[in-house]
Amino acid sequence: MNIPFLDHWRRRHRTEPSPLAAAYDRDPEGAAELLAECELLRARVEAAGVELDDTPRSLEALDQLPPRWRDDPEELPWFGNDAGLYLGTVIVRTVPGARWQVWPNGGPVVVLESGREIPVVAYGLEWALTGAPELSRVYAEAAER
């Protein structure tokens, strides 16, 4: 059935993949390195004496930090985003079969070997806002077989 106004509407509302999704499709390893940067998080926690070495132990150290990042409402979402990306980086680098996947809207998730998707950025934001779920606990659940 030919309905001209629907064709026009579809052209206007067609969603293009995000730049991150396109970059991931072209170079998954390069995109993974970009996701692992977490520059704001690394700078703030280094100032607090915590080294982020991409290990589960560093997630435990993050969970123990006093939440001073909550004092800056403008920085808080960026800090939480970085915390989620760092969580994902640790999972991808230490849990066998885990890998990054970028949704067409640009949202990165970690996919486990079982197929389970972990919305690490959402967990990071929630952790930054409330302290729960603990990043080390999310990691432990992902690492279970």
Side-chain angles (χ1 to χ4, degrees):
M1 179 183 321
N2 184 16
I3 305 174
F5 73 88
L6 280 180
D7 291 338
H8 180 66
W9 183 88
R10 285 185 186 128
R11 276 193 297 275
R12 283 192 335 212
H13 292 89
R14 184 174 299 139
T15 57
E16 296 296 322
S18 75
L20 178 58
Y24 183 81
D25 289 343
R26 282 191 310 276
D27 182 13
E29 289 179 23
E33 288 302 314
L34 179 66
L35 292 170
E37 284 183 8
C38 314
E39 196 172 316
L40 175 64
L41 175 76
R42 290 180 189 277
R44 295 297 180 266
V45 301
E46 183 179 305
V50 173
E51 180 187 354
L52 298 182
D53 58 1
D54 300 345
T55 65
R57 186 178 62 252
S58 64
L59 293 172
E60 293 170 5
L62 276 175
D63 286 336
Q64 299 305 313
L65 285 176
R68 291 192 176 93
W69 55 85
R70 293 184 193 145
D71 296 338
D72 185 347
E74 289 185 22
E75 192 172 272
L76 179 62
W78 297 105
F79 188 86
N81 185 73
D82 275 9
L85 294 176
Y86 182 70
L87 169 63
T89 297
V90 173
I91 294 170
V92 167
R93 291 184 176 170
T94 61
V95 174
R99 62 181 172 77
W100 284 107
Q101 178 64 49
V102 179
W103 290 332
N105 70 355
V109 297
V110 171
V111 180
L112 301 178
E113 195 170 45
S114 67
R116 178 178 163 221
E117 292 182 353
I118 302 173
V120 290
V121 171
Y123 283 139
L125 288 169
E126 188 66 24
W127 172 81
L129 286 167
T130 67
E134 292 180 331
L135 300 176
S136 58
R137 177 171 284 170
V138 174
Y139 174 83
E141 290 173 3
E144 286 180 354
R145 294 188 188 207

